[in-house]
Amino acid sequence: MRISAVVVVGDGRGQVGLGHGKALEVAAAVRKAGVRARKDMARVAIKGSTIPHETEGKHGASKVLVKPAAPGTGLIACPQVRAVLEAVGLRDALSKAYGSRNHYNTARATITALTRLRTIEQVAAARNKPISHFVEMRGEGESAESHAGQESD
């Protein structure tokens, strides 16, 4: 009988990796999974203690939705998603797992979702535009709510 291990590694500053290992002994399976996880590191765009925007990832029949949260909210997630989010270094995020709850597929779907994240600076650089092109400037007396119901001509 072989033992299967799944290991999540991260630097706590925006990098995370997931590895899977099988061996006759637990220690060997964990070691193999750790080596594969360190080889498979992915960079994640983070914004303070949360993520820049809502994102969704899918792997197999597992689907994971990750949303930014206000500071102090904490991580609201199932254990597989929580392990990935903590390894990345996030402290505030909301998540929901849909479909299959297979441990490996759920963790892989979370990494897929996180690798799709882009900061506004990355989007501006990719499109060769200034950041001001993407951010709507409001006057001092105006608020976002006053424009909510108005249509532009």
Side-chain angles (χ1 to χ4, degrees):
M1 184 174 88
R2 292 192 183 269
I3 305 296
S4 179
V6 177
V7 174
V8 176
V9 296
D11 65 355
R13 293 174 295 167
Q15 282 194 318
V16 66
L18 181 73
H20 181 257
K22 284 179 106 171
L24 293 174
E25 297 176 7
V26 174
V30 171
R31 183 184 49 75
K32 283 182 179 181
V35 168
R36 288 190 180 129
R38 283 187 286 282
K39 284 183 180 178
D40 188 32
M41 296 286 275
R43 190 124 221 30
V44 176
I46 56 176
K47 181 180 170 187
S49 66
T50 189
I51 57 176
H53 57 85
E54 185 177 310
T55 184
E56 199 171 275
K58 188 173 181 347
H59 187 82
S62 297
K63 191 169 155 185
V64 174
L65 171 70
V66 184
K67 291 182 173 184
T73 303
L75 291 176
I76 299 175
C78 66
Q80 302 85 2
V81 175
R82 176 182 293 273
V84 173
L85 297 179
E86 285 176 348
V88 168
L90 297 176
R91 292 188 303 276
D92 302 304
L94 309 171
S95 73
K96 176 66 180 158
Y98 299 100
S100 171
R101 293 303 200 301
N102 176 285
H103 299 293
Y104 182 77
N105 287 350
T106 305
R108 182 57 68 190
T110 306
I111 291 176
T112 301
L114 293 176
T115 56
R116 291 182 177 169
L117 290 172
R118 300 287 178 260
T119 62
I120 194 164
E121 291 84 10
Q122 290 170 330
V123 172
R127 295 185 185 180
N128 219 7
K129 303 260 186 199
I131 294 174
S132 60
H133 178 79
F134 300 100
V135 180
E136 183 178 331
M137 298 295 181
R138 304 213 184 271
E140 290 181 29
E142 299 176 14
S143 66
E145 292 81 26
S146 66
H147 290 287
Q150 298 177 0
E151 292 181 16
S152 60
D153 294 321

